[in-house]
């Protein structure tokens, strides 16, 4: 068994003691990003604030974000399970990567390509600017795969999902109130939210 964190957001680097000593991998940038958080004196408080209150007491904090970064360019998760290709890309978070498990027809896309959440911008290199590049990277590995996770995108829906997300991102990029000046942590103004149901399709 092995774990793989698609990205360093708090809800994606949790672990449970019952998983034992299985390695926990991520891209090289994944633990590098967590290190900044763990260096803060109040990091536990910050993590708990981001968790659903009913779960916070059950999360073993000593196991939080203990991720081993794989060297840049690592092609596959080093484990003896189904071959899992690592597709690192910019967009939602630093070091975000999808896993393509071809023999199962599955793309584990972390917080990308959801049909219940709108695209969320969080990569410090340029939140909106890099998102289309992330979508292009996923498009290159999205042949005949389904995307489980936040919602469920079937193999016959994935191209449409990518197109919808791209249209959403382009609409924000081209909005004069937002555009290239958007910053990490930026939140969508209320009147833009009204269009989200349509974007989610
Ligand atoms: Zn996330």
């Amino acid at each position: 068994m092995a774990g793989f964190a698609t990205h360093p957001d708090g809800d994606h680097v949790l672990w449970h003691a019952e998983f034992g000593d299985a390695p926990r991998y991520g891209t090289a940038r994944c633990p590098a990003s967590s290190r900044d958080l763990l260096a803060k004196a109040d990091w536990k408080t910050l993590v708990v604030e981001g968790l659903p209150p009913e779960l916070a007491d059950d999360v073993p904090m000593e196991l939080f974000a203990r991720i081993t970064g794989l060297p840049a360019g690592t092609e596959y998760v080093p484990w003896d399970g189904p071959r899992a290709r690592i597709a690192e890309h910019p967009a939602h978070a630093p070091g975000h990567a999808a896993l393509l498990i071809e023999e199962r027809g599955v793309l584990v896309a972390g917080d990308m390509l959801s049909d219940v959440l709108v695209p969320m911008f969080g990569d410090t290199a340029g939140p909106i600017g890099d998102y289309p590049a992330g979508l292009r990277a996923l498009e290159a590995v999205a042949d005949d795969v389904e995307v489980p996770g936040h919602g469920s995108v079937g193999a016959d829906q994935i191209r449409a999902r990518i197109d919808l997300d791209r249209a959403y991102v382009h609409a924000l990029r081209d909005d004069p109130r937002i555009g290239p000046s958007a910053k990490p942590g930026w939140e969508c103004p209320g009147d833009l939210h009204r269009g989200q149901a349509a974007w989610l399709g």
Side-chain angles (χ1 to χ4, degrees), residues 6-12 92-93 96 110-111 120 150:
T6 53
H7 64 293
D9 283 351
D11 56 331
H12 289 260
H92 169 65
H96 201 291
D111 278 350
M120 298 175 287
H150 294 298

Side-chain angles (χ1 to χ4, degrees), residues 28-118:
R29 288 180 72 204
C30 181
S33 172
S34 294
R35 267 195 291 278
D36 294 342
L37 171 65
L38 296 174
K40 295 180 179 164
D42 59 343
W43 71 266
K44 287 183 184 172
T45 309
L46 295 170
V47 170
V48 167
E49 280 172 2
L51 295 171
E54 67 275 18
L55 297 182
D57 286 345
D58 297 331
V59 172
M61 298 302 278
E62 67 280 7
L63 299 174
F64 180 84
R66 305 291 174 216
I67 305 294
T68 301
L70 295 167
T74 301
E75 243 184 309
Y76 298 100
V77 176
W79 75 325
D80 53 11
R83 198 164 77 146
R85 181 167 149 200
I86 301 166
E88 184 172 356
H89 60 82
H92 169 65
H96 201 291
L99 292 184
L100 173 65
I101 306 163
E102 236 164 331
E103 67 180 69
R104 302 286 163 88
V106 167
L107 183 69
V108 179
D111 278 350
M112 299 286 291
L113 306 185
S114 171
D115 59 350
V116 293
L117 300 168
V118 289

